[in-house]
Amino acid sequence: MTARKSTALVFIFSLVAAAFLLHPGEAQGDAKSELADVVKKGKALWTKQWKKGAKTCATCHDRGPNKLTAKRLNAWPKYDRFLKKVATGQEKIAQMIKKMSMGPEVQLGADDLTALEAYIKTR
Ligand code: HEC
């Protein structure tokens, strides 16, 4: 390869690299649509019946004094008299799935918890 050709190749490579680096807008677009997907999943879980005859989050939290909004969830961590400790919003949601919706024990950080948390933050 001649020196001239390799200089040209380096130049082209630099342009391609610069194009990637200078387009954070696209990465943000991806991040936005990923979040939208997670919120959508959370919305589906909001009305999911974990067991036949069990109540969903929506049954108890869509209206009335227990209406659950982002503002309410944002008040966590706080002391929870049922968990008997200062708990995070995720810990409270996990407790609700198990105790109130007859669902499984969900690990903190599990996709389902993140999805429910993300959805509730849009309410
Ligand atoms: C049978 C009714 C019922 C169901 C079903 C239920 N909850 Fe609850 N939830 C309650 C009640 C009552 C409280 C308040 C008492 C308490 O803290 O346990 C509460 C409290 C909460 C809180 C704390 C609210 C605050 O104001 O700080 C969160 C968060 C929550 N629930 C999320 C959920 C999610 C998510 C689901 C679905 C997986 C769910 N709950 C299902 C009745 C229910």
Side-chain angles (χ1 to χ4, degrees):
M1 193 184 294
T2 65
R4 209 170 160 182
K5 261 191 188 160
S6 52
T7 309
L9 278 178
V10 167
F11 180 68
I12 290 168
F13 176 78
S14 310
L15 279 184
V16 172
F20 270 109
L21 291 173
L22 294 174
H23 272 280
E26 275 173 33
Q28 267 171 20
D30 286 352
K32 247 189 193 167
S33 74
E34 274 210 29
L35 178 59
D37 286 349
V38 170
V39 167
K40 202 169 151 196
K41 181 181 175 179
K43 191 172 183 183
L45 289 172
W46 184 253
T47 52
K48 176 183 160 106
Q49 236 186 358
W50 298 90
K51 207 176 183 180
K52 202 168 183 280
K55 292 189 168 115
T56 72
C57 312
T59 318
C60 299
H61 289 297
D62 261 356
R63 62 194 71 80
N66 268 327
K67 181 165 181 195
L68 191 53
T69 58
K71 196 175 167 209
R72 285 250 188 139
L73 188 60
N74 285 339
W76 296 75
K78 67 181 187 188
Y79 184 82
D80 185 83
R81 65 199 164 105
F82 302 101
L83 291 164
K84 296 190 171 62
K85 65 169 184 170
V86 174
T88 65
Q90 276 217 356
E91 285 175 306
K92 184 64 182 172
I93 294 170
Q95 182 229 6
M96 281 286 145
I97 291 175
K98 193 156 192 284
K99 295 276 181 262
M100 296 297 210
S101 292
M102 296 158 81
E105 180 115 33
V106 185
Q107 290 290 312
L108 295 183
D111 290 353
D112 282 359
L113 286 190
T114 304
L116 272 168
E117 191 181 6
Y119 167 64
I120 295 166
K121 300 256 172 157
T122 68
R123 288 169 56 89

